[in-house]
Amino acid sequence: GVPCAGFVPDASRYFDVHHSANDTLAAVHPRELELGALCVAALAYAVADLEAPLERTPKRAAPAATH
């Protein structure tokens, strides 16, 4: 498996607008967007600057075919 990361927003207000008519980029608070972008950028920078690559989980063997 390939290492991956995601951004998990504060759930206390997330579902107030999630998938509603107000779920638009215009409704996003600029400071919250900036902080989220900074966090993702800092993570990407830190991972790119590692001396060793992130570990990957071994690939699982495919299940045996049954007929």
Side-chain angles (χ1 to χ4, degrees):
V2 176
C4 59
F7 180 71
V8 180
D10 177 12
S12 65
R13 292 178 295 138
Y14 181 72
F15 290 102
D16 293 345
V17 294
H18 183 67
H19 290 302
S20 72
N22 292 330
D23 194 0
T24 64
L25 185 56
V28 176
H29 190 285
R31 180 67 177 153
E32 289 181 8
L33 182 61
E34 181 180 272
L35 290 173
L38 286 169
C39 289
V40 173
L43 175 63
Y45 181 86
V47 170
D49 203 37
L50 291 174
E51 291 193 22
L54 293 175
E55 290 186 29
R56 296 175 179 226
T57 54
K59 196 174 197 178
R60 288 186 247 166
T66 56
H67 291 282

